[in-house]
Amino acid sequence: MSTSPVILLLSGSLRADSSNEAVLRTACAVAPDVRVGAVLYDGLAGLPHFNPDDDTDPLPAPVAGLRAVIDRAAGILICTPEYAGTLPGSFKNLLDWTVGGTEISDKPVAWVNAAAPGRGGGAEATLRAVLGYTGADIVEAACVKIPVDRGMRGADGLIADAGVRRQLGEVLGLLAASGARRPVSGQGRRAGVTPRRRDSSPDH
């Protein structure tokens, strides 16, 4: 019996009633329509500040949990705000914790820019730079701009617009198709071989 590929959804915002999280919660809602599973990560606030000295086994429990859900996912969809021209510090911290592992290497990744037209470019540029460094597989066709404002959300907090929901379904489908072309959970490692971690930057 086959199972649906699961896409991990990462919000870059800790803000209550965030538009970015509304986008991802809407993606969760439409995922069954395109026969894709979706899991929204909720551990951003619990991650410790990145310290290379702590990026050793045993990892801090929240970090081990993050890497485990990344490892199991067929792909990753990110929706993050821009703050001071770049990523929010809390989300950059999450990405820093992925550098020393191999879980995100070759993983299909895309993002939704939910900012107003003409904004969010700094966050996108930083995402592209950091994800490129980690070896993630950026699925260009799935990186989209979907400007969201509060008026687009229904009483349930989700985006009701049929066009937006259809676009999110297409993004999930593209990530799932990309993930289906590579092994999931184990990343194609040879049995009995422990992959070498990348060294984290000593400047952190």
Side-chain angles (χ1 to χ4, degrees):
M1 180 176 175
S2 62
T3 58
S4 298
V6 175
I7 304 302
L8 178 64
L9 310 179
L10 298 178
S11 173
S13 178
L14 291 172
R15 190 175 189 173
D17 200 30
S18 162
S19 295
N20 299 276
E21 189 159 322
V23 168
L24 296 180
R25 290 193 181 280
T26 304
C28 275
V30 305
D33 297 338
V34 292
R35 299 182 181 181
V36 173
V39 173
L40 181 61
Y41 176 72
D42 63 0
L44 179 62
L47 290 171
H49 295 300
F50 178 71
N51 182 343
D53 290 341
D54 295 331
D55 195 3
T56 58
D57 294 322
L59 289 167
V63 177
L66 169 66
R67 290 187 180 176
V69 294
I70 290 174
D71 195 39
R72 290 193 297 267
I76 299 172
L77 179 61
I78 295 167
C79 191
T80 180
E82 181 177 278
Y83 190 75
T86 186
L87 294 174
S90 55
F91 192 65
K92 177 57 165 58
N93 184 61
L94 181 153
L95 294 177
D96 284 346
W97 278 117
T98 71
V99 173
T102 60
E103 294 80 8
I104 203 170
S105 180
D106 296 324
K107 184 81 64 175
V109 180
W111 57 79
V112 175
N113 180 348
R119 301 184 63 181
E124 286 192 47
T126 306
L127 267 178
R128 186 176 296 280
V130 177
L131 291 173
Y133 184 81
T134 65
D137 176 17
I138 298 174
V139 182
E140 299 290 349
C143 296
V144 297
K145 298 180 187 295
I146 306 178
V148 173
D149 58 48
R150 292 181 184 276
M152 297 175 66
R153 289 182 256 175
D156 58 1
L158 303 182
I159 299 169
D161 183 270
V164 169
R165 294 171 76 95
R166 182 174 59 252
Q167 193 171 9
L168 289 173
E170 291 171 354
V171 166
L172 292 173
L174 286 167
L175 281 170
S178 295
R181 292 194 288 269
R182 61 185 299 281
V184 178
S185 186
Q187 312 305 315
R189 300 167 189 157
R190 290 175 293 155
V193 175
T194 301
R196 183 176 63 84
R197 285 162 143 179
R198 290 183 296 270
D199 291 333
S200 301
S201 170
D203 296 331
H204 283 82

